[in-house]
Amino acid sequence: MEDKLVIRGIEFKSRLWVGTGKYRNFEETARAIEASGADVVTVAVRRTNIFNRDSENLLDYIDPRKYKILPNTAGCYTVEDALRYSRLAREAGVSDLIKLEVIGDEKTLFPDTPGLLKATEILAKEGFIVLPYTNDDPVMARRLVDAGAAAVMPLAAPIGSGLGIRNPYNIKIILEQATTPVIVDAGVGTASDAAVAMELGCDAVLLNTAIAGADDPVAMAMAMKHAVIAGRLAYRAGRIPRKLYATASSPIEGML
């Protein structure tokens, strides 16, 4: 079935997007990303050495000709910092795509939504393809799109928590009103969480800790790959309605 994810004219082969943090080393990072089948790889501009080619570099292990590098503003707690690191990534020739984070709380890592909205509007006007990490608030998701976001990325649960989708009903509302792609970001813990997100109708899943923190990151990356594919196929196939009572699976017409 023809089923491409397209954001602002950019086609993506995989609906699983992966991060690059928390791995033991660059070699493990590369092997896990390869196993995931992802073609989008997020990189924290503030925390990752991708600009200094004179020392060991993440891009020595992840070929930007093979993967779409998605810079993110992880670790930015102010609008000014988020803007600065977004512009730095573009000036370095990394991408016009930006996964925008403006963090509001150090303990929960929940977004500062007023700051996020302001930064989204500024960057969208500057020509960035803005993908904001936000909470699971349908009103804020709509406002981010109105501000110029190319997609919205609601959290499933707090970053790195592995709790899975805590509020599927809000995610469903966001999906029902969506005029842009919806990508679940943060909180996925295992393959079934990714499958649930896709079965709800999300366009993609972005995750990092669930793979990097697994006992076997390469095996978990493969599991996530298949979960996203299965969840998307199930969503498009259309599940049967839930019923309180049993229904015979064999036809009863004509039986004595």
Side-chain angles (χ1 to χ4, degrees):
M1 295 183 290
E2 187 73 13
D3 184 31
K4 294 181 179 179
L5 172 58
V6 181
I7 300 176
R8 295 284 171 85
I10 303 172
E11 291 188 3
F12 300 90
K13 294 182 294 184
S14 173
R15 292 176 183 269
L16 174 61
W17 296 10
V18 295
T20 54
K22 303 182 180 180
Y23 287 95
R24 297 173 183 88
N25 50 58
F26 285 147
E27 289 85 356
E28 182 180 74
T29 307
R31 288 189 292 111
I33 291 172
E34 179 71 24
S36 75
D39 60 336
V40 175
V41 178
T42 68
V43 175
V45 181
R46 185 167 189 162
R47 299 171 178 164
T48 308
N49 172 27
I50 59 172
F51 304 118
N52 182 6
R53 304 299 289 166
D54 295 328
S55 61
E56 187 177 38
N57 190 296
L58 178 63
L59 298 186
D60 294 331
Y61 296 84
I62 299 172
D63 188 348
R65 295 169 297 181
K66 180 177 181 180
Y67 300 101
K68 291 181 176 69
I69 305 299
L70 175 59
N72 70 61
T73 59
C76 292
Y77 285 80
T78 67
V79 171
E80 292 72 22
D81 270 359
L83 295 177
R84 181 156 59 93
Y85 283 100
S86 299
R87 292 162 180 161
L88 177 63
R90 182 159 74 174
E91 288 167 6
V94 178
S95 180
D96 286 334
L97 288 162
I98 190 73
K99 181 198 167 189
L100 182 63
E101 298 184 29
V102 182
I103 302 301
D105 179 70
E106 188 174 355
K107 185 174 183 180
T108 63
L109 300 181
F110 285 148
D112 170 5
T113 51
L116 181 68
L117 187 61
K118 181 179 179 181
T120 296
E121 185 173 12
I122 292 169
L123 291 173
K125 287 179 179 177
E126 293 181 7
F128 283 87
I129 301 172
V130 186
L131 312 175
Y133 157 73
T134 185
N135 56 21
D136 57 3
D137 176 1
V139 175
M140 180 52 61
R142 188 171 63 245
R143 288 180 176 172
L144 287 165
V145 172
D146 291 343
V152 290
M153 305 182 75
L155 54 80
I159 292 173
S161 68
L163 291 171
I165 296 180
R166 294 295 84 203
N167 196 339
Y169 306 105
N170 273 23
I171 299 294
K172 284 292 290 182
I173 294 170
I174 292 171
L175 287 164
E176 285 174 4
Q177 69 182 25
T179 57
T180 66
V182 176
I183 302 167
V184 159
D185 177 19
V188 169
T190 192
S192 57
D193 299 332
V196 166
M198 299 306 295
E199 287 174 8
L200 286 172
C202 294
D203 295 279
V205 174
L206 192 156
L207 54 88
N208 182 190
T209 307
I211 294 177
D215 291 341
D216 185 338
V218 174
M220 184 60 78
M222 294 176 65
M224 292 295 185
K225 171 184 176 179
H226 293 298
V228 166
I229 292 171
R232 181 66 180 177
L233 284 172
Y235 168 72
R236 297 197 72 200
R239 67 156 291 136
I240 62 171
R242 292 177 173 87
K243 297 179 181 180
L244 183 61
Y245 295 103
T247 302
S249 58
S250 300
I252 60 174
E253 290 81 3
M255 296 180 65
L256 299 177

